[in-house]
Amino acid sequence: MKTLVTYFSHTGQTSRVAKEIAKRCSGDLDAIQEARRDNTWWAACRSGWDTVVRAAPPIQKPKRNPGAYDLVIIGVPVWRLGLAPPVRSYVQQYAPRFKRVAFFCAEGGTADERGFAELSKICGMPPVATLAVTRKHLPASANMKELSDFVDSMLLD
């Protein structure tokens, strides 16, 4: 099965989880990149606003075509107010190409269910697996079993 792990990471936490998942399932990795990326106060306000209003800001064209994969694993930081807007943009643009999806998030609270429900709705299909990695599980040694179970559930499906 050909697998793509695509993700957006603002602080690096989602990126670390994505790399570990890609390694475990021998998948290709592709970062979702904002078209306009800056670390100013105004950019943080704009991201917050985009999250609240469910905006889909411009993103860069992905390096890999998600339609060429049997499974697309989407990694997203789920912020208190919702999905990270660049992920919403990616999914809205490329969902028609997805054959099967799985979701994971790196978040500090309990927003994963709401985020996964929104992703599923935008994708137009339910995920074959989900994984929520909380702050206490971000060190690699703390989430080995959960990562293994997540990857195994997708490969056996």
Side-chain angles (χ1 to χ4, degrees):
M1 174 172 52
K2 197 169 175 188
T3 304
L4 174 64
V5 179
T6 187
Y7 66 94
F8 173 75
S9 187
H10 187 71
T11 63
Q13 293 177 348
T14 307
S15 175
R16 285 192 293 280
V17 177
K19 289 173 183 172
E20 186 63 31
I21 291 170
K23 184 172 87 174
R24 288 172 181 256
C25 68
S26 301
D28 292 330
L29 198 61
D30 197 6
I32 298 168
Q33 302 287 329
E34 297 171 285
R36 53 180 194 251
R37 172 81 169 146
D38 58 53
N39 291 323
T40 64
W41 175 84
W42 173 244
C45 290
R46 186 181 59 235
S47 288
W49 177 252
D50 286 349
T51 303
V52 169
V53 300
R54 305 287 192 260
I59 57 171
Q60 294 178 12
K61 184 177 178 184
K63 293 182 176 118
R64 300 182 184 275
N65 173 9
Y69 293 86
D70 302 308
L71 174 65
V72 177
I73 303 171
I74 302 167
V76 58
V78 178
W79 299 330
R80 187 178 316 258
L81 301 171
L83 293 177
V87 175
R88 186 177 297 105
S89 297
Y90 179 89
V91 174
Q92 285 178 350
Q93 290 177 38
Y94 297 103
R97 300 180 187 186
F98 300 159
K99 295 172 182 85
R100 296 171 60 224
V101 294
F103 310 140
F104 72 93
C105 69
E107 52 94 16
T110 57
D112 55 297
E113 288 181 27
R114 185 177 63 234
F116 292 156
E118 185 177 348
L119 274 174
S120 183
K121 183 177 179 181
I122 298 169
C123 286
M125 68 180 79
V128 296
T130 61
L131 173 67
V133 180
T134 60
R135 285 187 186 136
K136 73 176 187 173
H137 290 105
L138 282 170
S141 60
N143 63 27
M144 291 297 201
K145 177 157 180 22
E146 290 86 355
L147 281 173
S148 293
D149 291 348
F150 177 66
V151 171
D152 290 346
S153 71
M154 290 179 294
L155 299 178
L156 296 174
D157 190 34

